[in-house]
Amino acid sequence: MSTQIFPVRLSAAQQDAAYFHSYNHVGIHEEMIKDRIRTEAYRDAIFAHQEAIKDKVVIDVGCGTGILSIFCAAAGARKVYAVDASDIAVQAREVVKANGFSDVITVIVGRVEEIQLEEKADVIISEWMGYMLLYETMLPSVVCARDRWLKPGGLMLPSFATLYMAPITNPDRYGESIDFWRNVYGFDMSAILPLAKQCAFEEPCVEVITAENVISFPILVKRIDCSTVTLEELETVTTTFSVPSIMRAHLHGFALWFNVSFGGDASSLPKSKAASNGTIPLVLSTAPEDPPTHWAQQTILYVYEPVELQQDNLISGTFTMSQCKENPRFLNVHIEYSCGDRHFVKESVMR
Amino acid sequence: MSTQIFPVRLSAAQQDAAYFHSYNHVGIHEEMIKDRIRTEAYRDAIFAHQEAIKDKVVIDVGCGTGILSIFCAAAGARKVYAVDASDIAVQAREVVKANGFSDVITVIVGRVEEIQLEEKADVIISEWMGYMLLYETMLPSVVCARDRWLKPGGLMLPSFATLYMAPITNPDRYGESIDFWRNVYGFDMSAILPLAKQCAFEEPCVEVITAENVISFPILVKRIDCSTVTLEELETVTTTFSVPSIMRAHLHGFALWFNVSFGGDASSLPKSKAASNGTIPLVLSTAPEDPPTHWAQQTILYVYEPVELQQDNLISGTFTMSQCKENPRFLNVHIEYSCGDRHFVKESVMR
């Protein structure tokens, strides 16, 4: 035997402490920094907006080890307030010092909702995106920082965020976790199938899929203008959809992915891709057709029973994602969908 | 950002429930069953001991999905008592039924320490091994079952277990997690190194290494005869060692691995390998020179500071592993070691 999983329900009082505590571990920062697609997109965005940053005041919300603040300082910012409620910010302060940026970057260990600054900022930068874009519920902290400390007309980096969804087929994954039980060393263990499906697919799965798994054009779930989005808007996100299957396939679930753009709106682009030539905004994409990131690319809501689809069969329904009452950093996911005259409901919580 | 880690300390009352609850998840059983080296070693051991099993009574301690019990039934056992305190045993009962073994296999959902059987057994089989052999502290349950229910001279499968240790070098791993911080996108983040080392190496790491990482001959830490081992013997395991480095290398830590043998003592073999020809006992090995298993092969105790070694330099010290007072399923690990006139101590807990 071999397990290392000890699941437990946290009390409300432990939730926030546990959240910020999880970012004390250097490994998480190592993983994020080593995600070159993520980190280079931010670096390139900072230098692409050097004119807006040079000699200006920047707030870095959730600065972690301080790498984005250092990029901003290197881009000529007059002052960077690097804020993080996790103890990792203590490390950021040492890093800033070692790189000779102590005069420019002020590291503040605290919640951005509670800090006091001596001045308003020209730019807010933050890497706030979680799985399904909104997991972790960090964007409300960025919105709060914006409303308290950003000058009117100030720059938000990223500027826009867009969440997409699409039905997918994934027979390999389904076979590995489910069909596997039909023949185990010559014995029929399919009695386990109902529990196996529940264990494998009850919660959203963080996995990499590719464009070949996607069986319709993407559905736009939510477009967020970071300069104007309100806290209320983020509590519940819902969309209705009706898309034809582009091929004959088994529907195994729905994938969610996002992109964010720096200085422009990526949702209006013909294809989400990282590019920067002055006219097309710089985009950080986690779409199935783009290379994987540390977000493992997509969050998948698997369905318990695959549905056989013919080409052009409609998949219609409603998708709703809302902050969890039990812990506002978690997400409740509710999807109702129909294929022909068959109707399904899938409820899930991303913890 | 992206995290899904919510660490928390469990109360004593939650520990056992959490342990057995962790085995309710089908994914863990899927992983164990898909480990063909593990599962086929057990299957081969059962059929290699068919003479001892046919028309006899077997107890399967921690039966999980019931696969080992089914192998025993297929090998002709008259009766198999399949015991597990996890709810997965309910599934095992259905699997047994679907395979027509209900008359042979009786599934009991409960702790093996508390069950009542109508008869004594000829054979006890159990897959009780955890990381570093003794993590999870499941062997004491097997010992308890043996003392309560095994006939004198009955067969224990596995029969012997042996824990080995060796100093290792792993410059790639050290570079990835530690040296990485010396140059992060052109900036010096080595201020993070002390915390990075603590985060990366404080706890035992479950990783695959190969024979090339091992820099001495293996040290025998503990040999367990499953027919005679006592509970007291398992509370603390300690060994002293003094081994020469077989090459010039940096010492990065110590690897621990185990093998178990079925029907014979593998620790006396010239080389640990899976084989069965009637004279050599069948061995399930997780050694660096053998193919990886779901135990991820080795448990590594990394040291905070690499030590430069010349060929034939002695590495001497004491290794102690004991059940954790906080949670007896966890392991305290204490290693004191010297290289020349340099002395080091590493304390760790495997949670």
Side-chain angles (χ1 to χ4, degrees):
Chain A
M1 294 207 169
S2 190
T3 178
Q4 250 190 314
I5 296 172
F6 290 89
V8 76
R9 186 69 55 90
L10 293 187
S11 75
Q14 292 174 298
Q15 290 166 359
D16 239 38
Y19 174 71
F20 288 115
H21 181 81
S22 72
Y23 278 104
N24 291 354
H25 197 288
V26 172
I28 290 171
H29 299 282
E30 180 188 330
E31 186 192 9
M32 292 191 291
I33 290 175
K34 281 184 173 172
D35 179 351
R36 299 195 76 92
I37 292 170
R38 163 199 178 269
T39 308
E40 291 181 357
Y42 271 83
R43 186 190 60 185
D44 294 351
I46 288 164
F47 285 95
H49 290 87
Q50 193 160 11
E51 220 165 288
I53 289 170
K54 195 167 162 30
D55 302 323
K56 298 290 174 60
V57 177
V58 180
I59 303 173
D60 176 0
V61 179
C63 67
T65 56
I67 186 73
L68 301 188
S69 292
I70 288 172
F71 289 154
C72 290
R78 174 172 64 77
K79 172 59 74 181
V80 181
Y81 295 100
V83 186
D84 204 310
S86 163
D87 288 342
I88 195 71
V90 176
Q91 307 294 318
R93 193 176 285 146
E94 295 306 310
V95 170
V96 163
K97 200 169 147 188
N99 286 277
F101 288 124
S102 291
D103 290 346
V104 177
I105 301 173
T106 300
V107 176
I108 303 171
V109 186
R111 297 172 60 96
V112 76
E113 291 85 348
E114 296 163 4
I115 59 164
Q116 292 300 328
L117 304 181
E118 287 163 16
E119 57 191 328
K120 293 235 168 183
D122 304 282
V123 181
I124 287 180
I125 191 160
S126 179
E127 200 278 79
W128 51 264
M129 299 85 73
Y131 302 122
M132 291 194 285
L133 188 62
L134 297 181
Y135 180 68
E136 295 183 53
T137 311
M138 186 176 160
L139 181 55
S141 296
V142 178
V143 168
C144 177
R146 180 199 70 195
D147 293 348
R148 288 182 73 205
W149 300 109
L150 189 67
K151 290 179 190 169
L155 177 66
M156 294 293 289
L157 292 177
S159 316
F160 294 88
T162 313
L163 178 64
Y164 295 95
M165 182 176 87
I168 63 153
T169 189
N170 201 350
D172 292 349
R173 172 72 163 84
Y174 199 85
E176 258 171 48
S177 295
I178 306 303
D179 296 329
F180 159 74
W181 294 101
R182 299 185 196 279
N183 182 344
V184 178
Y185 298 88
F187 296 97
D188 175 11
M189 298 187 89
S190 53
I192 287 175
L193 284 180
L195 184 63
K197 286 177 186 174
Q198 194 192 328
C199 287
F201 301 142
E202 188 173 20
E203 296 183 8
C205 299
V206 176
E207 291 174 9
V208 173
I209 57 166
T210 68
E212 278 103 75
N213 297 104
V214 177
I215 59 174
S216 84
F217 58 81
I219 300 153
L220 192 153
V221 176
K222 177 73 180 172
R223 177 184 166 276
I224 293 171
D225 180 339
C226 298
S227 296
T228 59
V229 64
T230 62
L231 297 182
E232 294 68 37
E233 250 184 274
L234 297 172
E235 282 170 13
T236 300
V237 164
T238 191
T239 192
T240 57
F241 59 88
S242 187
V243 288
S245 175
I246 56 172
M247 58 182 171
R248 190 176 163 182
H250 280 90
L251 171 73
H252 287 116
F254 296 86
L256 286 123
W257 69 87
F258 64 86
N259 68 35
V260 296
S261 64
F262 299 87
D265 183 359
S267 68
S268 59
L269 292 178
K271 186 179 180 304
S272 54
K273 58 184 289 195
S276 176
N277 61 9
T279 55
I280 299 179
L282 205 143
V283 175
L284 166 57
S285 166
T286 66
E289 69 267 26
D290 292 315
T293 66
H294 82 291
W295 286 279
Q297 206 67 355
Q298 288 80 33
T299 309
I300 318 285
L301 308 171
Y302 281 103
V303 301
Y304 294 121
E305 294 302 330
V307 184
E308 201 180 336
L309 296 172
Q310 305 300 319
Q311 191 177 335
D312 296 330
N313 277 179
L314 274 186
I315 308 151
S316 311
T318 309
F319 170 83
T320 306
M321 191 166 79
S322 53
Q323 287 170 24
C324 191
K325 298 270 178 267
E326 171 203 332
N327 183 333
R329 296 204 182 272
F330 297 168
L331 285 176
N332 288 327
V333 177
H334 179 99
I335 184 162
E336 294 186 37
Y337 57 100
S338 302
C339 305
D341 55 1
R342 301 180 65 189
H343 306 284
F344 307 88
V345 177
K346 172 88 193 272
E347 298 262 8
S348 195
V349 182
M350 183 139 202
R351 294 177 204 282
Chain B
M1 292 210 172
S2 190
T3 180
Q4 251 189 313
I5 297 172
F6 289 89
V8 77
R9 187 69 55 92
L10 294 186
S11 76
Q14 291 173 300
Q15 289 167 1
D16 238 37
Y19 174 70
F20 289 115
H21 181 82
S22 72
Y23 278 103
N24 290 353
H25 197 288
V26 171
I28 289 171
H29 299 281
E30 180 188 330
E31 187 193 7
M32 292 191 293
I33 291 175
K34 282 185 173 169
D35 179 350
R36 299 194 77 91
I37 292 170
R38 162 198 179 270
T39 308
E40 291 181 356
Y42 271 83
R43 187 190 60 186
D44 294 350
I46 288 164
F47 284 96
H49 291 87
Q50 191 159 13
E51 219 165 286
I53 289 170
K54 198 168 163 23
D55 302 324
K56 298 290 173 60
V57 177
V58 179
I59 304 174
D60 176 1
V61 179
C63 67
T65 57
I67 185 72
L68 301 187
S69 293
I70 288 173
F71 289 153
C72 290
R78 174 171 65 76
K79 173 57 77 183
V80 181
Y81 296 100
V83 186
D84 204 310
S86 163
D87 289 342
I88 195 72
V90 176
Q91 306 295 318
R93 193 176 285 146
E94 295 305 311
V95 169
V96 163
K97 199 169 150 190
N99 287 279
F101 289 124
S102 290
D103 290 346
V104 177
I105 302 172
T106 300
V107 176
I108 303 172
V109 187
R111 297 171 60 97
V112 78
E113 291 84 349
E114 296 163 5
I115 58 164
Q116 292 300 327
L117 303 180
E118 290 163 16
E119 58 190 328
K120 293 234 168 184
D122 304 282
V123 181
I124 288 180
I125 191 161
S126 179
E127 198 278 78
W128 52 264
M129 299 84 73
Y131 302 122
M132 291 194 285
L133 188 61
L134 297 180
Y135 181 68
E136 294 183 52
T137 312
M138 185 175 160
L139 181 54
S141 295
V142 178
V143 168
C144 178
R146 180 198 72 195
D147 293 346
R148 289 183 71 204
W149 299 108
L150 189 67
K151 290 179 191 168
L155 178 65
M156 295 293 290
L157 292 177
S159 316
F160 293 88
T162 312
L163 179 64
Y164 295 95
M165 182 177 87
I168 62 154
T169 189
N170 201 351
D172 292 350
R173 171 74 163 81
Y174 200 85
E176 258 172 46
S177 295
I178 306 302
D179 296 329
F180 160 75
W181 293 102
R182 300 185 196 279
N183 182 344
V184 178
Y185 298 89
F187 296 97
D188 174 12
M189 298 186 89
S190 53
I192 286 175
L193 284 179
L195 184 63
K197 286 177 186 175
Q198 193 193 330
C199 287
F201 301 140
E202 188 173 19
E203 296 182 11
C205 299
V206 177
E207 290 173 12
V208 173
I209 58 166
T210 68
E212 278 104 74
N213 298 104
V214 176
I215 58 174
S216 84
F217 57 80
I219 300 154
L220 192 153
V221 177
K222 177 74 180 169
R223 177 184 166 273
I224 293 172
D225 179 340
C226 298
S227 296
T228 59
V229 65
T230 62
L231 297 182
E232 293 67 37
E233 249 185 275
L234 297 172
E235 283 169 14
T236 299
V237 164
T238 190
T239 194
T240 58
F241 58 88
S242 185
V243 288
S245 177
I246 56 171
M247 57 183 171
R248 190 176 163 182
H250 280 90
L251 170 74
H252 287 116
F254 296 85
L256 286 124
W257 68 89
F258 63 86
N259 68 34
V260 297
S261 64
F262 300 88
D265 183 0
S267 68
S268 59
L269 290 177
K271 185 177 180 307
S272 54
K273 58 184 290 195
S276 175
N277 61 9
T279 54
I280 300 181
L282 206 141
V283 175
L284 167 55
S285 165
T286 65
E289 68 267 28
D290 291 315
T293 66
H294 83 291
W295 286 278
Q297 207 67 354
Q298 289 80 33
T299 309
I300 318 285
L301 308 172
Y302 281 104
V303 301
Y304 294 121
E305 293 302 329
V307 184
E308 202 179 336
L309 295 173
Q310 304 300 321
Q311 192 177 333
D312 297 328
N313 277 178
L314 274 186
I315 309 151
S316 310
T318 308
F319 170 82
T320 306
M321 191 166 79
S322 53
Q323 287 170 25
C324 191
K325 298 271 178 265
E326 170 204 334
N327 182 333
R329 297 204 182 271
F330 297 167
L331 287 176
N332 288 328
V333 177
H334 179 98
I335 186 164
E336 294 186 33
Y337 56 101
S338 303
C339 305
D341 55 1
R342 301 179 67 188
H343 307 284
F344 307 88
V345 177
K346 170 92 194 266
E347 298 263 8
S348 195
V349 183
M350 184 140 200
R351 296 176 201 284

